[in-house]
Amino acid sequence: MVEATAAAGDPAAAKGNPRDKVFPSAQAALEGIVADGQTLAVGGFGLCGIPEALIAALRDSGVKDLTAISNNAGVDGFGLGQLLETRQIKKMISSYVGENKEFERQFLGGELELEFNPQGTLAERLRAGGAGIPAFFTATGYGTVVAEGKETREFDGKHYVMETALTADVSLVKAWRADRSGNLVFRKTARNFNPACAMAGKICVAEVEEIVEIGDIDPDAVHLPGIFVDRIVHNPDPEKRIEQRTVREGGK
């Protein structure tokens, strides 16, 4: 493993390697690419595979009026919950938000916009955005509030709802390992929404636990090619909170 030692703003120039995308900190990786009013796609499922350091850096940047596309909204005081507490998010496009009391308070109080999606639909909307597909039809949500205001069509006797693709100005994702050119490897379930979020963003910043040299990752082991990643930040010791801890009673 190698340390991330690139100069802020131009890591490639610092090493004379135009393929090197490593930045020295989360703050440096976000510099010049985040702004008020943007749409951000943030990877993760619950608290698994979330870009902790990048979310904290986004909070500290002070940007506001953000639209956040993310399966969850974090929890109180952690993950995207930090941006809700500071009122930097004006709208969430998400699926499951049931463990964030501040989210609930803001939504029920009319302070936060919300676009709910079935989980699979959200994943497919992001995938479509990254693949350049403007819209698709799905049976999920037909006949429910999910379909209100959307085009519906019948194919072979079945009814479907048209869902539009999702894209973002900036994607923030979390991976386990990266080489310096941005090829990513995700670990187990932390893979979740991260690849789709990365592909849907005009600019993608990846937070990783390990950085290796170019060529050290077997091409067949790459989960997301570096062409989708613009900047990398090294976070070797993420907190990795457990969302719900369940143990057996009585030690049996």
Side-chain angles (χ1 to χ4, degrees):
M1 189 188 307
V2 294
E3 293 299 321
T5 56
D10 191 4
K15 301 188 191 65
N17 183 352
R19 298 171 63 192
D20 198 316
K21 300 175 181 178
V22 180
F23 279 65
S25 68
Q27 291 78 9
L30 296 185
E31 186 176 348
I33 63 171
V34 294
D36 294 350
Q38 286 183 324
T39 296
L40 277 70
V42 183
F45 183 92
L47 299 182
C48 177
I50 67 170
E52 302 171 19
L54 288 171
I55 292 173
L58 187 64
R59 175 201 61 201
D60 294 342
S61 74
V63 296
K64 59 184 184 299
D65 296 328
L66 300 173
T67 295
I69 306 168
S70 182
N71 183 65
N72 299 63
V75 295
D76 294 293
F78 191 71
L80 289 179
Q82 297 175 84
L83 302 183
L84 289 169
E85 288 184 354
T86 54
R87 306 297 184 89
Q88 290 169 269
I89 295 177
K90 72 170 184 178
K91 180 179 180 179
M92 286 291 310
I93 301 175
S94 53
S95 176
Y96 175 69
V97 295
E99 294 183 41
N100 192 315
K101 291 183 175 61
E102 179 60 17
F103 182 103
E104 177 184 10
R105 189 197 67 75
Q106 289 186 27
F107 174 62
L108 295 179
E111 303 170 22
L112 179 69
E113 298 177 53
L114 172 62
E115 184 179 329
F116 257 141
N117 296 255
Q119 195 169 83
T121 299
L122 181 65
E124 184 65 3
R125 292 182 73 189
L126 284 164
R127 190 197 71 82
I133 299 169
F136 59 92
F137 283 95
T138 175
T140 305
Y142 178 81
T144 73
V145 294
V146 171
E148 290 181 2
K150 299 175 183 176
E151 179 183 340
T152 61
R153 292 181 65 178
E154 183 178 334
F155 297 95
D156 296 326
K158 295 183 180 180
H159 296 280
Y160 296 83
V161 182
M162 190 180 79
E163 296 283 358
T164 54
L166 288 172
T167 57
D169 298 299
V170 178
S171 295
L172 306 180
V173 302
K174 166 68 184 296
W176 169 50
R177 174 178 289 169
D179 65 20
R180 289 186 171 273
S181 64
N183 295 302
L184 301 184
V185 179
F186 300 94
R187 183 168 171 77
K188 301 184 184 296
T189 53
R191 194 168 177 176
N192 51 59
F193 277 79
N194 279 297
C197 282
M199 295 173 67
K202 296 176 183 175
I203 299 174
C204 175
V205 185
E207 175 182 326
V208 302
E209 297 177 45
E210 295 184 6
I211 299 176
V212 298
E213 295 297 343
I214 296 171
D216 285 354
I217 300 177
D218 186 320
D220 287 338
V222 172
H223 293 149
L224 185 75
I227 192 171
F228 293 109
V229 179
D230 298 282
R231 299 183 177 192
I232 305 166
V233 61
H234 190 204
N235 181 16
D237 300 302
E239 187 173 342
K240 291 186 179 179
R241 289 195 190 184
I242 295 176
E243 191 169 2
Q244 297 287 346
R245 186 186 299 272
T246 303
V247 295
R248 290 176 294 181
E249 296 182 0
K252 295 182 180 179

